[in-house]
């Protein structure tokens, strides 16, 4: 088996670390129901916040980090006049404002993009070639297939959305979910009144596949609610698909087009999928034994949506359900969070920890359908004993409710944006105004106290051109180099792949982290340099083909990531 050395483009960004926010911030003007944990105090090791842009002209309802470091952001074309004009001074049938932007995470600049149809309720996946696929939406966007290809564009300044008209979706899909599959296809599952799934690319005139599981798990008839929108999907290491809707679980064999197993429901009685809007992650897989565990946190009680319409805001779920799927008889373990949360986003960090951020502690998803914003993120540390896994982080003064998003970037920050995209972009005389800002949460590992432990990837041999991203084969051995000022121990070194996620409505589609099998770590020349040899995941069921952020983590402190591509050469 060949061992490959390679070099990376080194575009490093000096991040000004904010130690902490002083005191307890006051709620923004007009904000009611401000909530913080009673004994929470902002401390230097609880992370820090930095405002990147006060306004990008739109509300960040959808986010996707693209290979190379650009962030594509969109809200909804039906929201009315945004605060940024369409590129080139053009106008569409509705107005002359943009509802999508391309945001440069390196310098926080942005430019407008053109969306032709309404993408409210859309889903997304990053295809193996680096093209962003966005499916479905609302009204004229239900059947839409949109793509954004930045990598093959002659100029990043000229790339824009392209809509496919000749072979649209087989069924109109609002609030469906997308999942990249091992062979590179995308599964598009569920949606408003859609008890089915289909595939992209779609064969001409192919129809959707009926999915009985969704039909049997709705509270719509009893409560007037649609309780299984934006289902949670996770590709498992054996190639099957974990499907969670409402509070129920099925294991779908996509190759056989049938459910092969049903798992128990989370036993605490809360609903988790939209509009109850909990969030879920497949915890970081660690090779060579990628035992899968699913963590689902937050949500709302049955009837919360109907109650909110009538002005009553029920307390959100304060629990997480954890299930280990490698067991013969898997069951849920309930863990209590420090505070309740609905509409939270769960972000996998390169360390294997999970950041739970955004949301409210009462109500449900929908503009002005929630109260008591939760301003403190929570860090979940799966490696610690049960009962000591949750740590409260420092707060942001900005409420992030319905339509807010959060995504990891290559610097290890979590980019946060959006909230309450009212029709017409309402900024006053409402309980929670529309928010157009983008800020960054710096997890504790970014504190300057840990700078001596922070590794820096410096590449290796191979002579790659700076603009080329390395491509790896499955099960290949790769050697890379990093430097670090204060080296702890070879056992303290991890190399982690993180797939960039399409995030919307508390769902991080295709979010995935894989800790690679480390074969050796040894010092090289000069003295502060080290070689680490790792093995690429053995199959696309562990890491589906496509682009990943690669981090070196040393003593719990991650490097800045470099982009790599795996599979489908």
């Amino acid at each position: 088996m060949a061992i490959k050395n390679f070099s990376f483009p080194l575009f490093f960004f000096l991040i000004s670390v904010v130690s902490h926010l002083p005191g307890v911030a006051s709620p923004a003007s007009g904000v009611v129901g401000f909530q913080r944990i009673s004994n929470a105090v902002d401390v230097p090791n609880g992370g820090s916040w930095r405002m990147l842009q006060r306004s990008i002209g739109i509300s960040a309802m959808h986010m996707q980090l693209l290979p190379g470091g650009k962030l594509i952001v969109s809200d909804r074309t039906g929201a009315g006049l945004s605060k940024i004009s369409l590129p080139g001074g053009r106008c569409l049938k509705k107005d002359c404002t943009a509802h999508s932007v391309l945001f440069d995470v390196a310098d926080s600049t942005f430019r407008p993009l053109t969306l032709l149809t309404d993408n409210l309720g859309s889903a997304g996946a990053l295809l193996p070639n680096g093209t962003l696929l966005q499916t479905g939406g609302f009204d004229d966007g239900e059947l839409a297939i949109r793509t954004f290809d930045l990598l093959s564009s002659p100029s990043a300044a000229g790339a824009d959305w392209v809509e496919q008209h000749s072979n649209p979706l087989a069924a109109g899909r609002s609030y469906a979910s997308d999942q990249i599959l091992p062979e590179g296809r995308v599964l598009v599952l569920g949606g408003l009144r859609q008890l089915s799934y289909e595939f992209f690319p779609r064969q001409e005139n192919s129809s959707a596949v009926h999915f009985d599981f969704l039909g049997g798990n709705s509270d719509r008839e009893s409560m007037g609610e649609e309780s299984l929108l934006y289902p949670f999907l996770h590709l498992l290491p054996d190639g099957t698909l974990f499907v969670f809707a409402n509070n129920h679980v099925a294991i779908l064999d996509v190759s056989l087009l049938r459910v092969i197993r049903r798992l128990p429901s989370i036993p605490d009685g809360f609903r988790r999928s939209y509009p109850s809007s909990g969030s879920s992650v497949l915890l970081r897989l660690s090779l060579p034994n990628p035992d899968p565990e699913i963590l689902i946190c937050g949500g709302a009680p049955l009837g919360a949506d109907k109650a909110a319409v009538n002005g009553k805001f029920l307390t959100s779920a304060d629990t997480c359900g954890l299930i280990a799927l490698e067991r013969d008889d898997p069951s849920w373990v309930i863990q209590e969070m420090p505070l309740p949360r609905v509409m939270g986003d769960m972000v996998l960090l390169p360390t294997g920890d999970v950041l739970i951020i955004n949301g409210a502690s009462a109500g449900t998803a929908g503009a002005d359908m929630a109260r008591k914003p939760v301003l403190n993120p929570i860090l979940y540390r799966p490696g610690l004993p049960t009962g000591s896994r949750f740590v409260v982080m420092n707060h942001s003064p900005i409420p992030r409710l319905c339509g807010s998003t959060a995504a990891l970037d290559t610097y290890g920050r979590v980019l946060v944006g959006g909230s309450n995209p009212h029709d017409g972009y309402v900024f006053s005389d409402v309980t929670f105004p529309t928010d157009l800002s983008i800020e960054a949460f710096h997890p504790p590992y970014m504190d300057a106290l840990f700078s001596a432990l922070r590794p820096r990837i410096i590449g290796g041999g191979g002579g790659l051109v700076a603009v080329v991203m390395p491509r790896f084969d499955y099960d290949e051995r790769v050697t890379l180099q990093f430097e670090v000022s204060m080296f702890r121990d070879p056992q303290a070194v991890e190399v982690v792949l993180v797939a960039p996620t399409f995030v919307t409505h508390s769902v991080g589609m295709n979010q995935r982290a894989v800790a690679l099998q480390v074969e050796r770590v040894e010092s090289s020349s000069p003295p502060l340099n080290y070689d680490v040899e790792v093995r690429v995941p053995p199959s696309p069921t562990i890491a589906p083909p496509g682009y990943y952020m690669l981090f070196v983590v040393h003593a719990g402190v991650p490097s800045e990531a470099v982009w790599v591509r795996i599979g489908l050469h």
Side-chain angles (χ1 to χ4, degrees):
M1 190 174 300
I3 298 177
K4 179 184 291 185
N5 293 317
F6 56 88
S7 59
F8 290 103
L10 300 178
F11 302 112
F12 292 98
F13 178 60
L14 298 177
I15 301 174
S16 175
V17 178
V18 181
S19 62
H20 64 285
L21 298 175
V24 176
S26 301
S29 176
V31 173
V32 299
F34 175 88
Q35 174 164 327
R36 299 184 64 243
I37 302 173
S38 57
N39 296 320
V41 178
D42 288 350
V43 293
N45 64 354
S48 59
W49 290 85
R50 181 184 179 193
M51 179 59 66
L52 302 182
Q53 275 289 352
R54 289 289 177 184
S55 174
I56 59 170
I58 64 171
S59 188
M61 182 187 287
H62 314 82
M63 275 188 184
Q64 171 75 61
L65 186 67
L66 300 176
K70 299 289 196 299
L71 182 78
I72 194 161
V73 185
S74 60
D75 57 9
R76 46 176 299 206
T77 63
L81 298 176
S82 75
K83 299 300 181 180
I84 185 171
S85 298
L86 284 166
R90 64 184 302 193
C91 295
L92 301 177
K93 59 183 179 181
K94 293 182 179 179
D95 58 65
C96 303
T97 62
H99 294 277
S100 182
V101 302
L102 188 66
F103 184 87
D104 192 323
V105 300
D107 59 14
S108 299
T109 58
F110 57 96
R111 66 175 179 86
L113 302 173
T114 304
L115 278 173
L116 299 177
T117 56
D118 198 342
N119 66 333
L120 171 65
S122 62
L126 194 66
L127 300 178
N129 66 358
T131 297
L132 173 60
L133 169 73
Q134 189 183 54
T135 60
F138 186 70
D139 195 17
D140 63 351
E142 283 190 330
L143 292 169
I145 293 175
R146 311 173 193 88
T147 58
F148 187 89
D149 181 5
L150 187 62
L151 292 183
S152 64
S153 175
S155 167
D160 209 339
W161 286 102
V162 174
E163 299 210 11
Q164 178 177 310
H165 301 288
S166 60
N167 192 27
L169 293 172
R173 298 195 185 273
S174 298
Y175 306 99
S177 293
D178 287 357
Q179 174 63 51
I180 188 78
L181 299 175
E183 69 275 18
R185 292 188 302 167
V186 174
L187 179 81
V188 187
L189 186 145
L192 185 64
R193 295 181 295 277
Q194 294 296 344
L195 311 180
S196 65
Y197 58 85
E198 58 183 288
F199 299 93
F200 175 90
R202 180 189 170 206
Q203 294 182 350
E204 193 74 31
N205 298 321
S206 62
S207 59
V209 180
H210 185 69
F211 193 36
D212 287 331
F213 169 75
L214 293 179
N217 294 312
S218 174
D219 296 318
R220 184 169 45 190
E221 293 183 3
S222 61
M223 296 301 299
E225 295 179 331
E226 184 76 62
S227 59
L228 40 77
L229 302 176
Y230 276 133
F232 304 151
L233 305 179
H234 298 289
L235 179 68
L236 302 179
D238 65 0
T240 60
L241 198 65
F242 176 95
V243 183
F244 184 101
N246 192 338
N247 194 27
H248 306 285
V249 186
I251 304 298
L252 174 64
D253 189 316
V254 178
S255 62
L256 299 177
L257 303 180
R258 65 181 178 88
V259 171
I260 59 172
R261 193 178 185 187
R262 294 289 295 268
L263 299 180
S265 303
I266 300 180
D268 60 6
F270 289 102
R271 272 50 184 170
R272 310 284 179 170
S273 48
Y274 186 87
S276 297
S277 292
S279 191
S280 76
V281 290
L282 170 67
L283 294 181
R284 193 182 75 174
L285 301 173
S286 295
L287 297 175
N289 300 307
D291 297 331
E293 292 184 295
I294 304 289
L295 181 69
I296 297 178
C297 294
L302 180 64
D305 183 79
K306 188 174 182 179
V309 171
N310 295 320
K312 183 178 181 181
F313 303 95
L314 304 182
T315 300
S316 308
D318 62 355
T319 55
C320 296
L322 176 69
I323 189 167
L325 296 172
E326 83 283 1
R327 297 178 181 174
D328 293 335
D329 187 21
S331 59
W332 293 94
V333 176
I334 300 301
Q335 304 180 42
E336 292 188 5
M337 295 189 292
L339 71 169
R341 194 181 300 255
V342 66
M343 297 182 293
D345 288 283
M346 296 173 70
V347 181
L348 278 171
L349 302 180
T351 57
D353 295 337
V354 180
L355 188 73
I356 308 172
I357 196 167
N358 298 335
S361 62
T364 187
D368 278 339
M369 295 281 279
R371 294 295 184 270
K372 299 181 180 178
V374 183
L375 304 181
N376 293 84
I378 294 173
L379 193 66
Y380 176 83
R381 302 168 297 174
L384 296 184
T386 302
S388 60
R389 295 182 176 180
F390 293 100
V391 180
V392 178
M393 299 284 100
N394 291 336
H395 79 285
S396 166
I398 302 176
R400 300 287 184 183
L401 303 178
C402 181
S404 60
T405 47
L408 182 73
D409 73 4
T410 54
Y411 305 118
R413 307 176 299 183
V414 176
L415 305 178
V416 179
S419 189
N420 275 351
H422 298 271
D423 288 336
Y425 294 86
V426 180
F427 303 105
S428 60
D429 299 324
V430 290
T431 306
F432 298 107
T434 301
D435 189 277
L436 308 182
S437 68
I438 295 286
E439 56 184 338
F441 177 73
H442 293 204
Y445 54 62
M446 295 190 73
D447 194 286
L449 293 171
F450 305 118
S451 59
L453 297 172
R454 184 168 296 113
R456 176 176 176 263
I457 299 172
I458 56 176
L464 294 176
V465 180
V467 296
V468 174
M469 298 181 193
R471 301 176 68 163
F472 300 151
D473 291 322
Y474 289 106
D475 210 29
E476 180 180 11
R477 287 184 179 179
V478 175
T479 298
L480 60 103
Q481 289 185 331
F482 67 93
E483 63 178 12
V484 64
S485 298
M486 185 183 295
F487 185 72
R488 281 282 178 86
D489 186 273
Q491 300 298 319
V493 176
E494 298 178 304
V495 178
V496 182
L497 297 174
V498 181
T501 177
F502 181 90
V503 58
T504 185
H505 289 78
S506 301
V507 182
M509 300 177 198
N510 302 289
Q511 185 172 204
R512 197 174 197 87
V514 182
L516 303 184
Q517 182 176 342
V518 176
E519 303 285 351
R520 66 177 176 90
V521 181
E522 59 187 30
S523 62
S524 59
S525 180
L528 299 181
N529 290 5
Y530 297 85
D531 289 342
V532 54
E533 182 185 321
V534 294
R535 189 186 295 270
V536 178
S539 74
T541 62
I542 305 295
Y547 287 87
Y548 291 81
M549 294 178 279
L550 184 148
F551 294 87
V552 172
V553 181
H554 169 251
V557 181
S559 68
E560 179 182 331
V562 292
W563 289 97
V564 300
R565 186 179 181 184
I566 295 178
L568 291 184
H569 283 205

